[in-house]
Amino acid sequence: MAEINIKNVAKQFGKTHALHSIDMTIKHQEFVVLLGASGCGKTTLLRIIAGLETATSGEVWIGDKRVDGLAPKDRGIAMVFQNYAVFPHLTVYENIAFGLRMAKLSESEVERRVQRTASLMHIEQLLKRYSGQLSGGQRQRVAVSRALAMEPDVILMDEPLSNLDALLRMEMRAELKSVLAESNTTTIYVTHDQVEAMSMADRIAIMDQGQIVQADSPVEIYRNPAAHFVGSFIGNPPMNFLSANNAGNGQWLVGNTTIAGPQSDKPILEFAIRPEDIRVGEGSMTVEVRLLEPLGSHTLLACRLGDTPFRVIVDSDRAVKVGETLAIDPIAERIRWFDPDTQLAL
Ligand code: ATP
Protein backbone atom coordinates (compact mmCIF):
# COMPACT_ATOMS: atom_id res chain seq x y z
CA MET A 1 0.00 0.00 0.00
CA ALA A 2 1.55 3.28 -1.07
CA GLU A 3 -0.45 5.72 1.00
CA ILE A 4 1.52 8.90 1.62
CA ASN A 5 1.25 10.71 4.92
CA ILE A 6 2.62 14.21 5.30
CA LYS A 7 2.62 15.13 8.96
CA ASN A 8 3.15 18.66 10.16
CA VAL A 9 5.79 19.41 7.51
CA ALA A 10 7.30 22.91 7.60
CA LYS A 11 10.16 24.38 5.61
CA GLN A 12 12.10 27.58 6.08
CA PHE A 13 14.77 28.91 3.76
CA GLY A 14 16.49 31.45 5.99
CA LYS A 15 13.73 33.94 6.81
CA THR A 16 11.36 32.63 4.08
CA HIS A 17 8.63 30.32 5.37
CA ALA A 18 8.13 28.25 2.24
CA LEU A 19 5.80 25.77 4.01
CA HIS A 20 3.78 26.14 7.20
CA SER A 21 2.78 22.94 8.92
CA ILE A 22 1.39 20.85 6.06
CA ASP A 23 -0.78 17.86 6.95
CA MET A 24 -2.13 15.66 4.21
CA THR A 25 -2.88 12.02 3.43
CA ILE A 26 -2.70 10.88 -0.17
CA LYS A 27 -4.55 7.59 -0.49
CA HIS A 28 -3.20 4.48 -2.20
CA GLN A 29 -3.58 4.92 -6.00
CA GLU A 30 -4.94 8.42 -5.61
CA PHE A 31 -4.01 11.17 -8.10
CA VAL A 32 -3.51 14.39 -6.14
CA VAL A 33 -2.64 17.67 -7.81
CA LEU A 34 -0.89 20.45 -5.90
CA LEU A 35 -2.16 23.67 -7.46
CA GLY A 36 -1.25 27.23 -6.64
CA ALA A 37 0.39 30.42 -7.86
CA SER A 38 4.12 30.71 -8.40
CA GLY A 39 6.03 30.68 -5.11
CA CYS A 40 3.26 29.08 -2.99
CA GLY A 41 5.45 26.10 -2.03
CA LYS A 42 4.32 23.32 -4.42
CA THR A 43 7.77 22.35 -5.64
CA THR A 44 9.25 22.56 -2.16
CA LEU A 45 6.63 20.13 -0.83
CA LEU A 46 7.22 17.73 -3.72
CA ARG A 47 10.99 17.88 -3.24
CA ILE A 48 10.61 17.12 0.46
CA ILE A 49 8.51 14.03 -0.34
CA ALA A 50 11.10 13.01 -2.94
CA GLY A 51 13.98 13.53 -0.51
CA LEU A 52 15.66 16.24 -2.58
CA GLU A 53 15.01 18.77 0.17
CA THR A 54 14.98 18.33 3.95
CA ALA A 55 11.99 19.62 5.93
CA THR A 56 12.69 21.98 8.83
CA SER A 57 10.22 19.91 10.86
CA GLY A 58 7.62 17.19 10.37
CA GLU A 59 7.48 13.67 8.98
CA VAL A 60 6.84 11.95 5.65
CA TRP A 61 5.48 8.39 5.58
CA ILE A 62 4.98 6.11 2.58
CA GLY A 63 2.88 3.11 3.55
CA ASP A 64 4.01 2.06 7.03
CA LYS A 65 7.54 3.37 6.54
CA ARG A 66 8.82 6.73 7.71
CA VAL A 67 10.92 7.95 4.78
CA ASP A 68 12.09 11.46 5.61
CA GLY A 69 15.44 10.09 6.83
CA LEU A 70 15.94 7.95 3.71
CA ALA A 71 17.87 8.75 0.55
CA PRO A 72 15.65 9.48 -2.50
CA LYS A 73 16.54 6.15 -4.14
CA ASP A 74 15.34 4.22 -1.08
CA ARG A 75 11.85 5.76 -1.02
CA GLY A 76 10.27 3.65 -3.80
CA ILE A 77 9.31 6.67 -5.90
CA ALA A 78 9.88 7.84 -9.45
CA MET A 79 10.07 11.52 -10.30
CA VAL A 80 9.59 13.77 -13.27
CA PHE A 81 10.73 17.29 -12.59
CA GLN A 82 10.52 20.54 -14.51
CA ASN A 83 14.24 20.46 -15.23
CA TYR A 84 13.94 16.82 -16.31
CA ALA A 85 17.34 15.23 -16.52
CA VAL A 86 17.59 13.06 -19.58
CA PHE A 87 21.10 11.98 -20.50
CA PRO A 88 21.96 13.71 -23.81
CA HIS A 89 24.66 11.17 -24.75
CA LEU A 90 22.23 8.23 -24.48
CA THR A 91 19.55 7.29 -26.97
CA VAL A 92 15.92 7.68 -26.00
CA TYR A 93 15.72 3.88 -25.65
CA GLU A 94 18.68 3.81 -23.27
CA ASN A 95 17.32 6.74 -21.29
CA ILE A 96 14.05 4.94 -20.67
CA ALA A 97 15.89 1.66 -19.99
CA PHE A 98 18.37 3.26 -17.59
CA GLY A 99 16.55 2.69 -14.30
CA LEU A 100 15.31 -0.72 -15.43
CA ARG A 101 18.87 -1.88 -16.07
CA MET A 102 19.98 -0.49 -12.70
CA ALA A 103 17.19 -2.58 -11.16
CA LYS A 104 18.65 -5.58 -13.06
CA LEU A 105 15.48 -6.49 -14.95
CA SER A 106 15.77 -9.07 -17.72
CA GLU A 107 16.46 -7.75 -21.22
CA SER A 108 13.04 -8.93 -22.42
CA GLU A 109 11.31 -7.08 -19.57
CA VAL A 110 13.35 -3.93 -20.30
CA GLU A 111 12.32 -4.17 -23.95
CA ARG A 112 8.65 -4.66 -23.06
CA ARG A 113 8.52 -1.70 -20.71
CA VAL A 114 10.47 0.66 -22.99
CA GLN A 115 8.20 -0.15 -25.95
CA ARG A 116 5.03 0.17 -23.89
CA THR A 117 5.80 3.52 -22.27
CA ALA A 118 7.33 4.98 -25.45
CA SER A 119 4.17 4.11 -27.30
CA LEU A 120 2.00 5.65 -24.56
CA MET A 121 3.95 8.89 -24.80
CA HIS A 122 4.07 8.81 -28.64
CA ILE A 123 7.85 8.67 -28.93
CA GLU A 124 8.30 5.16 -30.45
CA GLN A 125 9.74 6.73 -33.59
CA LEU A 126 12.41 8.51 -31.52
CA LEU A 127 13.84 5.51 -29.66
CA LYS A 128 17.10 5.43 -31.64
CA ARG A 129 17.66 9.20 -31.49
CA TYR A 130 20.13 10.73 -29.02
CA SER A 131 18.29 12.75 -26.42
CA GLY A 132 20.54 15.74 -27.09
CA GLN A 133 18.85 15.95 -30.52
CA LEU A 134 15.32 16.32 -29.19
CA SER A 135 13.02 19.30 -28.68
CA GLY A 136 12.10 20.34 -25.14
CA GLY A 137 8.66 18.74 -25.43
CA GLN A 138 10.13 15.48 -26.73
CA ARG A 139 12.67 15.38 -23.89
CA GLN A 140 9.87 15.93 -21.44
CA ARG A 141 8.02 12.92 -22.83
CA VAL A 142 11.18 10.82 -22.51
CA ALA A 143 11.38 11.82 -18.84
CA VAL A 144 7.75 10.82 -18.26
CA SER A 145 8.30 7.48 -20.09
CA ARG A 146 11.34 6.76 -17.98
CA ALA A 147 9.39 7.32 -14.78
CA LEU A 148 6.40 5.25 -15.93
CA ALA A 149 8.67 2.40 -17.05
CA MET A 150 9.79 1.92 -13.46
CA GLU A 151 6.17 1.02 -12.56
CA PRO A 152 6.73 2.72 -9.22
CA ASP A 153 4.45 2.70 -6.17
CA VAL A 154 4.63 6.48 -6.06
CA ILE A 155 5.23 8.91 -8.88
CA LEU A 156 5.93 12.60 -8.31
CA MET A 157 5.60 14.99 -11.22
CA ASP A 158 6.41 18.67 -11.35
CA GLU A 159 4.84 20.37 -14.39
CA PRO A 160 5.65 17.38 -16.63
CA LEU A 161 3.65 18.73 -19.58
CA SER A 162 4.73 22.36 -19.44
CA ASN A 163 6.91 22.25 -22.56
CA LEU A 164 4.28 20.74 -24.84
CA ASP A 165 2.18 22.71 -27.29
CA ALA A 166 -1.50 23.12 -26.46
CA LEU A 167 -2.87 20.26 -28.56
CA LEU A 168 -0.28 17.71 -27.47
CA ARG A 169 -0.72 18.81 -23.91
CA MET A 170 -4.45 18.12 -24.05
CA GLU A 171 -3.82 14.69 -25.58
CA MET A 172 -1.09 13.81 -23.05
CA ARG A 173 -3.26 14.96 -20.17
CA ALA A 174 -5.89 12.38 -21.03
CA GLU A 175 -3.35 9.63 -21.75
CA LEU A 176 -1.31 10.18 -18.64
CA LYS A 177 -4.43 10.14 -16.56
CA SER A 178 -5.58 6.83 -18.02
CA VAL A 179 -2.10 5.26 -17.77
CA LEU A 180 -1.82 6.20 -14.12
CA ALA A 181 -5.36 5.04 -13.39
CA GLU A 182 -4.52 1.60 -14.85
CA SER A 183 -1.30 1.23 -12.89
CA ASN A 184 -1.17 0.84 -9.13
CA THR A 185 0.60 4.12 -8.73
CA THR A 186 -0.07 6.85 -6.20
CA THR A 187 0.57 10.18 -7.91
CA ILE A 188 1.36 13.68 -6.71
CA TYR A 189 1.39 16.15 -9.56
CA VAL A 190 2.39 19.80 -9.36
CA THR A 191 1.00 22.37 -11.75
CA HIS A 192 -0.11 25.97 -11.88
CA ASP A 193 -2.47 25.15 -14.76
CA GLN A 194 -5.96 24.84 -13.34
CA VAL A 195 -7.38 23.13 -16.43
CA GLU A 196 -4.75 20.42 -16.02
CA ALA A 197 -5.60 20.12 -12.34
CA MET A 198 -9.37 20.03 -12.86
CA SER A 199 -9.22 17.50 -15.67
CA MET A 200 -6.69 15.08 -14.16
CA ALA A 201 -7.01 15.06 -10.38
CA ASP A 202 -8.98 12.82 -8.07
CA ARG A 203 -8.31 15.54 -5.54
CA ILE A 204 -6.81 19.02 -5.85
CA ALA A 205 -4.87 20.56 -2.98
CA ILE A 206 -5.01 24.34 -3.41
CA MET A 207 -1.92 25.97 -1.93
CA ASP A 208 -1.41 29.59 -0.94
CA GLN A 209 1.62 31.04 0.83
CA GLY A 210 2.94 27.74 2.13
CA GLN A 211 -0.40 26.34 3.24
CA ILE A 212 -3.02 23.97 1.86
CA VAL A 213 -6.21 26.03 1.78
CA GLN A 214 -8.52 23.27 0.53
CA ALA A 215 -8.06 19.67 -0.61
CA ASP A 216 -11.14 18.29 -2.36
CA SER A 217 -12.45 16.83 -5.60
CA PRO A 218 -12.30 19.21 -8.58
CA VAL A 219 -16.09 19.65 -8.60
CA GLU A 220 -16.19 20.40 -4.88
CA ILE A 221 -13.34 22.93 -5.22
CA TYR A 222 -15.20 24.62 -8.06
CA ARG A 223 -18.69 24.57 -6.57
CA ASN A 224 -17.90 25.00 -2.88
CA PRO A 225 -14.67 26.93 -2.41
CA ALA A 226 -13.73 26.76 1.27
CA ALA A 227 -12.17 30.21 1.24
CA HIS A 228 -12.26 33.46 -0.73
CA PHE A 229 -8.82 32.62 -2.12
CA VAL A 230 -10.07 29.41 -3.74
CA GLY A 231 -13.04 31.14 -5.39
CA SER A 232 -10.78 33.90 -6.64
CA PHE A 233 -8.16 31.48 -7.97
CA ILE A 234 -10.25 28.72 -9.56
CA GLY A 235 -12.41 29.42 -12.59
CA ASN A 236 -11.65 31.38 -15.71
CA PRO A 237 -12.78 34.01 -15.01
CA PRO A 238 -13.00 33.50 -11.24
CA MET A 239 -15.99 34.19 -8.97
CA ASN A 240 -17.48 37.65 -8.63
CA PHE A 241 -17.36 39.03 -5.09
CA LEU A 242 -19.57 41.81 -3.75
CA SER A 243 -19.93 43.33 -0.34
CA ALA A 244 -23.33 42.55 1.25
CA ASN A 245 -24.87 44.62 4.06
CA ASN A 246 -26.93 42.93 6.75
CA ALA A 247 -30.62 43.91 6.33
CA GLY A 248 -31.72 41.61 9.20
CA ASN A 249 -33.54 38.26 9.27
CA GLY A 250 -31.11 36.59 6.87
CA GLN A 251 -31.62 39.27 4.21
CA TRP A 252 -28.59 41.00 2.64
CA LEU A 253 -28.36 44.14 0.57
CA VAL A 254 -26.19 43.47 -2.48
CA GLY A 255 -25.92 46.50 -4.78
CA ASN A 256 -29.52 47.73 -4.99
CA THR A 257 -31.11 44.32 -4.32
CA THR A 258 -32.04 42.34 -1.23
CA ILE A 259 -30.99 38.70 -1.37
CA ALA A 260 -31.68 35.86 1.07
CA GLY A 261 -28.50 34.62 2.78
CA PRO A 262 -27.22 33.25 6.05
CA GLN A 263 -28.51 34.27 9.50
CA SER A 264 -25.63 36.25 10.98
CA ASP A 265 -24.93 39.17 13.30
CA LYS A 266 -22.08 40.38 11.13
CA PRO A 267 -22.75 43.80 9.55
CA ILE A 268 -21.08 42.77 6.29
CA LEU A 269 -20.57 39.50 4.44
CA GLU A 270 -19.08 38.75 1.08
CA PHE A 271 -21.52 37.58 -1.59
CA ALA A 272 -19.98 35.43 -4.36
CA ILE A 273 -21.30 34.08 -7.65
CA ARG A 274 -19.65 32.56 -10.71
CA PRO A 275 -20.06 34.50 -13.99
CA GLU A 276 -21.85 31.54 -15.59
CA ASP A 277 -24.34 31.18 -12.73
CA ILE A 278 -26.28 34.29 -13.60
CA ARG A 279 -29.52 34.61 -15.58
CA VAL A 280 -29.48 37.61 -17.88
CA GLY A 281 -32.51 39.71 -18.86
CA GLU A 282 -34.41 39.13 -15.64
CA GLY A 283 -34.03 40.02 -11.97
CA SER A 284 -33.68 43.26 -10.07
CA MET A 285 -29.89 43.60 -10.05
CA THR A 286 -28.46 45.70 -12.85
CA VAL A 287 -25.00 45.88 -14.35
CA GLU A 288 -23.51 48.10 -17.03
CA VAL A 289 -21.62 46.34 -19.82
CA ARG A 290 -18.13 47.77 -20.33
CA LEU A 291 -16.42 45.26 -22.59
CA LEU A 292 -17.34 42.19 -24.68
CA GLU A 293 -15.03 39.23 -25.11
CA PRO A 294 -16.50 36.78 -27.63
CA LEU A 295 -14.93 33.36 -26.94
CA GLY A 296 -16.80 31.26 -29.49
CA SER A 297 -18.87 28.97 -27.28
CA HIS A 298 -19.85 31.90 -25.07
CA THR A 299 -19.26 35.61 -24.59
CA LEU A 300 -17.66 37.08 -21.53
CA LEU A 301 -19.08 40.43 -20.45
CA ALA A 302 -16.90 42.66 -18.29
CA CYS A 303 -19.45 44.77 -16.44
CA ARG A 304 -19.72 47.15 -13.48
CA LEU A 305 -22.16 46.82 -10.64
CA GLY A 306 -21.92 50.30 -9.18
CA ASP A 307 -18.15 50.73 -8.85
CA THR A 308 -17.36 47.02 -8.60
CA PRO A 309 -16.15 45.00 -11.58
CA PHE A 310 -18.54 42.14 -12.26
CA ARG A 311 -18.29 39.47 -14.95
CA VAL A 312 -21.15 37.70 -16.64
CA ILE A 313 -21.03 34.87 -19.18
CA VAL A 314 -23.77 34.76 -21.80
CA ASP A 315 -24.51 32.53 -24.75
CA SER A 316 -22.65 33.75 -27.85
CA ASP A 317 -25.97 34.07 -29.74
CA ARG A 318 -27.13 36.78 -27.37
CA ALA A 319 -26.83 40.32 -28.76
CA VAL A 320 -25.29 42.62 -26.14
CA LYS A 321 -23.86 46.11 -26.66
CA VAL A 322 -21.17 47.97 -24.76
CA GLY A 323 -22.85 50.60 -22.55
CA GLU A 324 -26.06 48.58 -22.24
CA THR A 325 -27.64 48.10 -18.80
CA LEU A 326 -28.53 44.47 -18.16
CA ALA A 327 -30.94 43.05 -15.60
CA ILE A 328 -29.35 40.03 -13.95
CA ASP A 329 -30.45 37.32 -11.54
CA PRO A 330 -27.81 35.26 -9.71
CA ILE A 331 -29.00 31.63 -9.46
CA ALA A 332 -29.94 31.28 -5.79
CA GLU A 333 -28.51 27.81 -5.18
CA ARG A 334 -25.16 28.83 -6.69
CA ILE A 335 -24.63 31.86 -4.44
CA ARG A 336 -21.84 31.44 -1.85
CA TRP A 337 -21.11 33.57 1.21
CA PHE A 338 -17.78 34.33 2.87
CA ASP A 339 -16.87 35.90 6.19
CA PRO A 340 -14.78 38.99 5.32
CA ASP A 341 -12.80 38.66 8.58
CA THR A 342 -11.73 35.00 8.30
CA GLN A 343 -12.04 34.85 4.47
CA LEU A 344 -13.69 31.43 4.98
CA ALA A 345 -16.92 30.16 3.45
CA LEU A 346 -20.03 30.18 5.64
P1 ATP B 1 6.68 27.79 -9.06
O1 ATP B 1 5.32 27.47 -9.56
O2 ATP B 1 7.15 29.15 -9.47
O3 ATP B 1 7.69 26.71 -9.30
P2 ATP B 1 6.29 26.91 -6.29
O4 ATP B 1 4.91 27.01 -5.79
O5 ATP B 1 6.75 25.58 -6.71
O6 ATP B 1 6.54 27.98 -7.44
P3 ATP B 1 8.52 26.89 -4.47
O7 ATP B 1 9.56 26.69 -5.52
O8 ATP B 1 8.18 25.71 -3.64
O9 ATP B 1 7.21 27.49 -5.11
O10 ATP B 1 9.00 28.08 -3.52
C1 ATP B 1 8.31 28.43 -2.32
C2 ATP B 1 9.00 29.60 -1.67
O11 ATP B 1 10.28 29.21 -1.18
C3 ATP B 1 9.28 30.78 -2.60
O12 ATP B 1 9.11 31.95 -1.87
C4 ATP B 1 10.72 30.59 -3.01
O13 ATP B 1 11.31 31.82 -3.32
C5 ATP B 1 11.32 29.98 -1.76
N1 ATP B 1 12.43 29.06 -2.07
C6 ATP B 1 12.37 27.92 -2.79
N2 ATP B 1 13.57 27.30 -2.86
C7 ATP B 1 14.43 28.08 -2.18
C8 ATP B 1 15.83 28.02 -1.88
N3 ATP B 1 16.57 26.99 -2.28
N4 ATP B 1 16.37 29.01 -1.15
C9 ATP B 1 15.61 30.04 -0.70
N5 ATP B 1 14.31 30.18 -0.95
C10 ATP B 1 13.71 29.23 -1.67
Side-chain angles (χ1 to χ4, degrees):
M1 287 279 285
E3 178 173 287
I4 304 170
N5 264 296
I6 300 158
K7 299 183 184 178
N8 217 358
V9 163
K11 176 68 182 176
Q12 259 176 274
F13 294 104
K15 289 206 172 84
T16 308
H17 288 265
L19 297 174
H20 301 270
S21 187
I22 302 280
D23 275 298
M24 187 168 184
T25 300
I26 295 107
K27 293 194 282 288
H28 179 58
Q29 293 183 16
E30 195 177 19
F31 190 129
V32 166
V33 171
L34 304 180
L35 176 68
S38 182
C40 71
K42 310 178 291 293
T43 297
T44 303
L45 182 56
L46 204 68
R47 286 173 59 83
I48 287 172
I49 299 166
L52 301 173
E53 197 75 73
T54 312
T56 308
S57 58
E59 300 176 4
V60 179
W61 291 71
I62 298 179
D64 52 10
K65 201 155 75 170
R66 183 170 172 185
V67 300
D68 47 87
L70 302 180
K73 66 176 175 45
D74 298 326
R75 297 188 181 199
I77 54 187
M79 301 170 245
V80 184
F81 280 91
Q82 243 163 347
N83 48 352
Y84 39 87
V86 295
F87 306 118
H89 59 288
L90 295 182
T91 61
V92 169
Y93 187 103
E94 287 307 320
N95 262 288
I96 302 172
F98 189 81
L100 306 175
R101 295 207 201 286
M102 298 275 281
K104 304 216 174 346
L105 296 186
S106 70
E107 204 46 43
S108 60
E109 182 62 9
V110 171
E111 169 81 20
R112 184 188 74 76
R113 292 203 196 177
V114 171
Q115 293 295 350
R116 177 174 168 271
T117 57
S119 130
L120 284 171
M121 299 311 288
H122 300 318
I123 49 171
E124 318 89 299
Q125 75 289 4
L126 300 175
L127 285 171
K128 294 199 178 103
R129 194 91 74 85
Y130 283 96
S131 299
Q133 306 167 331
L134 301 176
S135 73
Q138 289 167 334
R139 269 203 296 278
Q140 205 159 30
R141 282 182 280 157
V142 175
V144 174
S145 298
R146 192 170 59 186
L148 291 175
M150 295 302 289
E151 299 182 359
D153 290 340
V154 175
I155 190 161
L156 307 179
M157 301 197 191
D158 191 347
E159 308 257 7
L161 307 182
S162 61
N163 283 346
L164 308 183
D165 63 52
L167 195 61
L168 192 56
R169 204 176 160 126
M170 193 162 78
E171 207 177 301
M172 288 288 135
R173 217 159 64 199
E175 299 215 357
L176 202 51
K177 182 176 171 170
S178 68
V179 173
L180 290 164
E182 277 169 30
S183 64
N184 286 326
T185 313
T186 305
T187 306
I188 308 183
Y189 187 107
V190 162
T191 183
H192 63 262
D193 178 340
Q194 55 169 294
V195 176
E196 213 165 277
M198 294 291 288
S199 61
M200 294 177 90
D202 294 323
R203 220 152 39 108
I204 303 176
I206 305 277
M207 294 186 67
D208 182 33
Q209 298 179 48
Q211 281 172 319
I212 294 177
V213 186
Q214 183 173 9
D216 265 318
S217 69
V219 170
E220 191 63 15
I221 294 261
Y222 193 78
R223 284 278 166 244
N224 295 311
H228 174 109
F229 174 78
V230 179
S232 68
F233 184 73
I234 293 286
N236 186 19
M239 287 185 120
N240 292 300
F241 294 94
L242 294 169
S243 187
N245 289 297
N246 198 338
N249 295 324
Q251 298 295 309
W252 298 83
L253 194 61
V254 182
N256 53 358
T257 308
T258 307
I259 292 179
Q263 293 284 353
S264 167
D265 293 336
K266 298 244 172 191
I268 292 174
L269 290 183
E270 228 180 5
F271 159 98
I273 189 83
R274 291 205 173 275
E276 66 273 32
D277 292 335
I278 296 165
R279 292 189 195 94
V280 175
E282 53 189 290
S284 55
M285 284 172 102
T286 54
V287 292
E288 191 197 328
V289 180
R290 292 292 183 91
L291 192 74
L292 307 181
E293 282 185 58
L295 296 171
S297 61
H298 58 270
T299 301
L300 178 58
L301 311 178
C303 308
R304 291 252 159 196
L305 196 153
D307 290 334
T308 313
F310 194 90
R311 293 195 185 90
V312 179
I313 287 176
V314 293
D315 198 280
S316 47
D317 294 338
R318 188 182 190 97
V320 182
K321 290 196 195 72
V322 170
E324 190 175 336
T325 298
L326 289 180
I328 59 164
D329 184 25
I331 297 171
E333 58 271 27
R334 293 284 164 84
I335 296 170
R336 298 292 175 266
W337 300 88
F338 295 88
D339 181 329
D341 300 322
T342 62
Q343 302 276 302
L344 298 178
L346 294 168

